[in-house]
């Protein structure tokens, strides 16, 4: 394993700094300090890179104060040389020691965009890293769901699985990106968060991006969900702290799950019971195991145009709810004690996140994927 670590004198390039995990990692590194900290940001038609990053980090006041050391670099991982202008490219190639690659397209349905960002982006990243003077460590924020359509149980950390069956292009792209990274011969560290929730962030967009469908469960009396299926969910604060602790010292492994593991996974039954109470449902949502869900159930419970429309979009998420897998976190726990980095219970912060997700916005989300 490479011994390259993150410390106060590191030269670090972060991609995906306007995203959920990338933005929180960028903030944490800026607060702890580094020699140089570049943030690669894609420009939008009506908002330049600096404005986008400032908004993500808390506005111009925060950006010019706490995060003034962050250097904004205009670029796009989907373009050759990461789309970085020549002068900035020359500086970064000369000095960068760690590339923290968080940029990702997370859509379950926009396959062309997923491939462009998650696959072509990795190829461009590898070409860029090979041109750097210091052979930087590439830290890839992948996904534990790269395992694809796994059998129920505990998923180990060995290997990437692009050849497995996958429920969508997104999970396949994460597995394929890992495969390309590991085949490159370059120093690589893979971090695999499980399902990540924007707990403690007052941001409606991040809250909706994962939990948009939960308010809409009130539309249904029953759904094809296994009540005993386990769901491995962690807050973004846990992911960031785990990543920084792993990066802050020599490591035993090249891949880690940043997950709840067996000790802290939730079940669909307990989440459904929480939602029954949170939304004051007149009758509990009935969870029917998928193998017991029959055409008669579908006709009975998915019986209106609204229900059919919402269920049609929700079907992309149901395989993940029904997989009944947790992701082995033994490697993380070899290096970070559970007492000093506990996994908060999902039900402890679920209500805070749901407070940001309205039913009206969720309906709009379901109609405009």
């Amino acid at each position: 394993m490479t011994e390259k670590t993150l410390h106060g004198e590191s030269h670090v390039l972060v991609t995906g700094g306007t995203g959920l995990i990338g933005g929180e990692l960028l903030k944490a590194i800026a607060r702890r300090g580094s020699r140089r900290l570049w943030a690669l940001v894609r420009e939008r038609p009506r908002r330049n890179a600096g404005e986008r990053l400032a908004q993500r980090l808390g506005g111009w006041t925060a950006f010019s104060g706490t995060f003034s050391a962050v250097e904004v670099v205009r670029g796009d991982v989907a373009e050759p040389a990461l789309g970085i202008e020549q002068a900035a490219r020359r500086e970064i190639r000369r000095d960068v020691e760690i590339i923290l690659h968080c940029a990702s397209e997370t859509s379950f349905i926009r396959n062309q965009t997923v491939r462009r960002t998650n696959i072509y982006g990795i190829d461009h990243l590898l070409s860029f890293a090979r041109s750097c003077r210091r052979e930087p460590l590439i830290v890839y924020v992948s996904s534990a769901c790269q395992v694809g359509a796994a059998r129920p149980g505990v998923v180990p950390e060995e290997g990437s699985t692009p050849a497995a069956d996958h429920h969508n292009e997104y999970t396949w792209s994460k597995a394929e990106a890992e495969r390309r990274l590991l085949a490159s011969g370059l120093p690589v560290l893979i971090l695999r968060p499980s399902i990540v929730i924007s707990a403690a962030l007052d941001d409606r967009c991040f809250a909706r991006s994962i939990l948009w469908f939960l308010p809409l469960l009130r539309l249904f009396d029953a759904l094809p969900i296994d009540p005993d299926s386990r769901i491995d969910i962690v807050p973004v604060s846990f992911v960031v702290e785990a990543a920084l602790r792993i990066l802050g010292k020599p490591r035993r492994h090249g891949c880690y799950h940043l997950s709840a593991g067996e000790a802290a996974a939730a079940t669909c039954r307990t989440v459904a019971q929480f939602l029954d109470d949170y939304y004051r449902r007149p009758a509990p949502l009935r969870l029917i195991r998928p193998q017991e869900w029959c055409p008669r159930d579908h006709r009975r419970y998915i019986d209106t145009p609204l229900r059919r429309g919402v269920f049609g979009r929700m079907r992309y998420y149901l395989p993940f709810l029904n997989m009944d897998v947790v992701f082995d976190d033994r490697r993380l726990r070899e290096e970070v004690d559970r007492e000093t980095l506990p996994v908060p219970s999902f039900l402890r912060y679920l209500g805070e996140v749901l407070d940001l997700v309205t039913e009206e916005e969720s309906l709009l989300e379901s109609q405009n994927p």
Side-chain angles (χ1 to χ4, degrees):
M1 285 297 99
T2 178
E3 296 297 308
K4 199 165 286 187
T5 61
L6 178 66
H7 50 79
E9 293 299 308
S10 296
H11 293 71
V12 184
L13 170 65
V14 178
T15 73
T18 58
L20 174 59
I21 298 174
E24 294 306 291
L25 278 168
L26 188 63
K27 284 196 254 184
I29 296 170
R31 288 187 179 116
R32 298 186 186 199
S34 63
R35 185 70 173 272
R36 298 283 298 273
L37 180 56
W38 297 280
L40 182 73
V41 181
R42 184 174 53 182
E43 297 212 318
R44 298 290 194 190
R46 297 182 181 180
R47 187 171 297 165
N48 66 37
E51 291 171 337
R52 291 191 67 216
L53 189 63
Q55 181 184 38
R56 175 63 182 90
L57 299 184
W60 280 112
T61 301
F63 189 62
S64 59
T66 307
F67 306 118
S68 58
V70 178
E71 302 177 46
V72 181
V73 178
R74 289 179 297 173
D76 185 343
V77 298
E79 297 179 6
L82 306 182
I84 303 174
E85 295 177 352
Q86 187 172 2
R89 189 164 69 235
R90 188 182 306 115
E91 266 194 358
I92 297 171
R93 280 174 165 167
R94 183 190 65 216
D95 295 331
V96 69
E97 300 166 283
I98 297 174
I99 300 176
L100 189 51
H101 186 50
C102 307
S104 182
E105 172 58 64
T106 60
S107 171
F108 285 2
I109 57 177
R110 294 193 292 269
N111 290 352
Q112 186 174 358
T113 307
V114 166
R115 189 174 289 262
R116 180 174 180 269
T117 301
N118 298 357
I119 300 301
Y120 302 158
I122 283 293
D123 292 339
H124 296 147
L125 180 75
L126 289 171
S127 295
F128 184 85
R130 289 191 179 97
S131 71
C132 294
R133 187 182 67 172
R134 299 188 180 187
E135 195 177 61
L137 169 67
I138 300 173
V139 182
Y140 179 51
V141 179
S142 183
S143 169
C145 292
Q146 66 83 38
V147 69
R151 294 181 178 179
V154 180
V155 176
E157 290 156 303
E158 292 81 7
S160 63
T161 55
D165 291 332
H166 284 267
H167 297 301
N168 54 51
E169 188 87 352
Y170 167 71
T171 62
W172 171 82
S173 73
K174 302 303 274 188
E176 175 61 17
E178 286 190 18
R179 186 195 67 77
R180 296 186 186 205
L181 284 163
L182 295 172
S184 71
L186 295 172
V188 171
L189 171 64
I190 294 172
L191 303 178
R192 291 179 183 157
S194 55
I195 300 170
V196 183
I197 303 297
S198 59
L201 295 185
D202 187 17
D203 190 297
R204 304 177 78 87
C205 291
F206 286 137
R208 286 202 313 273
S209 67
I210 294 293
L211 301 181
W212 65 270
F213 64 93
L214 291 186
L216 301 184
L217 296 185
R218 284 183 287 176
L219 299 173
F220 300 94
D221 298 318
L223 284 169
I225 296 175
D226 183 347
D228 296 316
S229 179
R230 293 165 294 175
I231 327 168
D232 197 318
I233 300 174
V234 289
V236 66
S237 57
F238 170 84
V239 172
V240 169
E241 184 60 28
L244 292 181
R245 292 202 196 184
I246 290 171
L247 279 166
K249 61 182 182 180
R251 297 161 292 278
R252 302 179 193 179
H253 305 285
C255 176
Y256 295 82
H257 282 157
L258 311 184
S259 59
E262 289 188 276
T267 67
C268 290
R269 175 182 283 107
T270 57
V271 173
Q273 290 169 346
F274 179 94
L275 295 173
D276 289 340
D277 293 337
Y278 180 87
Y279 290 117
R280 297 182 176 88
R281 288 179 59 103
L285 175 66
R286 186 182 175 197
L287 303 184
I288 301 176
R289 290 179 174 82
Q291 61 269 31
E292 299 171 5
W293 180 270
C294 63
R296 183 179 60 187
D297 292 321
H298 196 89
R299 289 192 299 271
R300 177 182 178 184
Y301 296 117
I302 317 298
D303 59 343
T304 67
L306 179 58
R307 285 177 172 176
R308 285 193 288 272
V310 173
F311 185 83
R313 180 84 196 284
M314 196 183 297
R315 73 182 189 276
Y316 296 105
Y317 293 78
L318 292 178
F320 297 94
L321 297 179
N322 285 315
M323 277 205 306
D324 186 25
V325 300
V326 295
F327 301 101
D328 190 3
D329 64 347
R330 280 180 291 181
R331 289 182 178 178
L332 173 64
R333 297 311 173 181
E334 285 176 3
E335 303 182 22
V336 182
D337 186 82
R338 192 175 295 276
E339 291 186 4
T340 66
L341 185 63
V343 182
S345 167
F346 179 45
L347 302 185
R348 281 178 51 192
Y349 57 84
L350 175 57
E352 298 174 12
V353 184
L354 284 177
D355 289 343
L356 300 171
V357 186
T358 68
E359 184 172 353
E360 292 76 14
E361 290 173 320
S362 292
L363 277 171
L364 184 64
E365 178 84 13
S366 70
Q367 293 162 7
N368 297 280

